[in-house]
Amino acid sequence: QEEAERIFAVGEGCRLYGVGGRIGLSFPGSEQDPEPLEAMLESESGLGLFWGFDVGLLASQLKEAALRVFPEEVQHAA
């Protein structure tokens, strides 16, 4: 939520990822925080599930949908 404006501005390639209770957010062209992946690899309780999701792609799709439904409101907000 803290990075929502940046995610919508950058769009595709912003990835939310994690393992267990640890999560991270990476942006295209910036160094990725390796903490969740390192936690998974160093875990003594097994590997667990490492997951990731392109939240930037979702943000882009939401903007496109909003433009189709509310073209005037979205253009004024930009």
Side-chain angles (χ1 to χ4, degrees):
Q1 183 177 356
E2 294 171 6
E3 297 286 350
E5 189 173 324
R6 185 174 174 198
I7 292 169
F8 275 91
V10 172
E12 192 171 344
C14 300
R15 300 196 66 77
L16 183 64
Y17 58 93
V19 61
R22 296 182 176 168
I23 62 170
L25 180 64
S26 66
F27 291 90
S30 64
E31 288 188 32
Q32 184 173 342
D33 177 13
E35 184 180 324
L37 180 58
E38 287 178 0
M40 181 186 78
L41 295 174
E42 294 174 357
S43 173
E44 294 179 12
S45 61
L47 291 178
L49 174 67
F50 183 80
W51 56 269
F53 186 76
D54 191 337
V55 292
L57 177 59
L58 175 61
S60 297
Q61 292 172 343
L62 287 171
K63 282 194 321 190
E64 288 176 20
L67 277 170
R68 287 193 301 273
V69 177
F70 308 105
E72 294 171 10
E73 289 86 348
V74 173
Q75 288 176 352
H76 291 295

